[in-house]
Amino acid sequence: MANSKRRHWALVGAAVTAVVVGAGIATAVSGGDPGGPTAFGHSPAATSGTTSPAGAPTAPAGSTGSTSNGSAPGITAPSTSAAKNAQLADMKWGLDYSDTLAYDTPDQVKTALDDAKRLGMDYIRVDFGWEDHQNFANFPPDFSKFDKVVAGANAHGLKILATIDFPPPWARRDACKDTAACPPADNALFAKFVKQAVARYSARGVHYWEVWNEPNIVAWAPLPDPADYTKLLVTVSAAIRSADPHAYILMGGLAADHPSPGAPFIAPYDFITAVANAGGLKAVDAIGYHPYPDGDPATSKTFLAISKSPKSIIAALNQAGAPNMPIWITETGANIPALIWGPPEQVKPQETAQVQQAKREVEVLSSYPNVVSFFWFSYQDDPPAHLVFGLRRGDGTYRPSFDALKQIIADAKKAR
């Protein structure tokens, strides 16, 4: 249905790496478009001292985090049943569209956002690529494509989480000019573009920004580099806040695992620790994380890495003095691998299992401390890119997971 210019990297790799669980469903460890751009998501953190937009979770800096279970340093017990129910009731729900909406027709945008509203979503997550708006250095940005998305979101009462990414070729570093994962050659020039955009869209209700996507893998070209990323994060965050003091800024959603065997990867604990040591956590309001499960979410190492392992995200935040910083799940989901590798008769069983996987992911994530959002990747399949996680199939028809997720969200919101 969507006519996207670029493909989303759920995690970078030549193909989706999957683990078959349950009734034959595969949950993504990686997937993507090598040499293509990444998609980003944003979350706010409670340590910046800024005023957050309405509905943004906040917590005083330095306040006590979750309760330790005493089993090992840095391991945090899951929430109690009552706390879990309260956390689920307050969950922020979102749907990932990657870079599709900016290139859709008005009718396609309306249909896509009608679906988000029917699902009960609070947010849409979309790429905000510099190259989409300023292809030539000597011309001012043209924001008309994104104006359409913002207008549509506002008409549907949906908040936008915009992932800032994709420098145009003329603004990339020489070492990686051929990939949109390439960081800008000049962070200050990138920040100037971002400031223009934030000034324009804060007046139209856009306050949530995520700086880059999965910078802990090769979505930061040519290799992940937390110190280098921190320089961009601090510069861009300052530009955002100067244009919108109420902005809510997320550190770019971190990949939970290697995108493919042997591929570059810095574990979230190590990446967050390095960014914190370089002063980067002070620039954001939240951490973004993409825990596609490697099996049952209850035992998946990508989920356990939130708080139930010695080198967890919570452990890194505790050590950085930000124990209550929110964790936004800006991507998770479950794919249909039979569409890629076959056999065809497994497609329907995997689609049925996708429903159960969605329920389990929500159930398990709502038991973890600091988790405040659940964004499903993705709205619709992109079969040529091997991205088959959609609530809609490539032909636009609905999967059973659409109605299942709609019911999950409705049930969660009943307690509000």
Side-chain angles (χ1 to χ4, degrees), residues 13-24:
V16 176
T17 302
V19 177
V20 178
V21 300

Side-chain angles (χ1 to χ4, degrees), residues 24-106:
I25 191 166
T27 55
V29 176
S30 66
D33 172 23
T38 65
F40 314 99
H42 315 293
S43 345
T47 59
S48 66
T50 60
T51 303
S52 298
T58 58
S63 56
T64 305
S66 37
T67 305
S68 170
N69 66 6
S71 58
I75 298 181
T76 302
S79 305
T80 64
S81 179
K84 175 181 172 181
N85 290 339
Q87 189 168 337
L88 188 57
D90 290 336
M91 190 74 73
K92 311 299 180 187
W93 302 93
L95 186 58
D96 273 285
Y97 289 89
S98 190
D99 198 37
T100 58
L101 294 177
Y103 291 89
D104 280 348
T105 67

Side-chain angles (χ1 to χ4, degrees), residues 196-252:
Q196 289 177 278
V198 173
R200 181 183 187 88
Y201 292 115
S202 62
R204 305 182 189 197
V206 180
H207 301 285
Y208 293 82
W209 301 91
E210 186 175 13
V211 182
W212 217 260
N213 182 73
E214 299 183 346
N216 62 322
I217 58 175
V218 288
W220 182 274
L223 294 171
D225 184 335
D228 194 25
Y229 170 74
T230 299
K231 292 176 184 178
L232 179 138
L233 178 65
V234 170
T235 301
V236 169
S237 294
I240 293 171
R241 297 202 192 280
S242 68
D244 178 12
H246 303 293
Y248 195 61
I249 303 174
L250 283 75
M251 192 171 102

Side-chain angles (χ1 to χ4, degrees), residues 249-261:
I249 303 174
L250 283 75
M251 192 171 102
L254 298 176
D257 206 346
H258 293 78
S260 58

Side-chain angles (χ1 to χ4, degrees), residues 359-379:
K359 293 177 180 177
R360 286 292 289 148
E361 290 185 34
V362 170
E363 179 185 4
V364 174
L365 283 169
S366 65
S367 73
Y368 280 97
N370 296 39
V371 171
V372 300
S373 77
F374 182 96
F375 281 65
W376 182 268
F377 181 83
S378 61
Y379 172 58

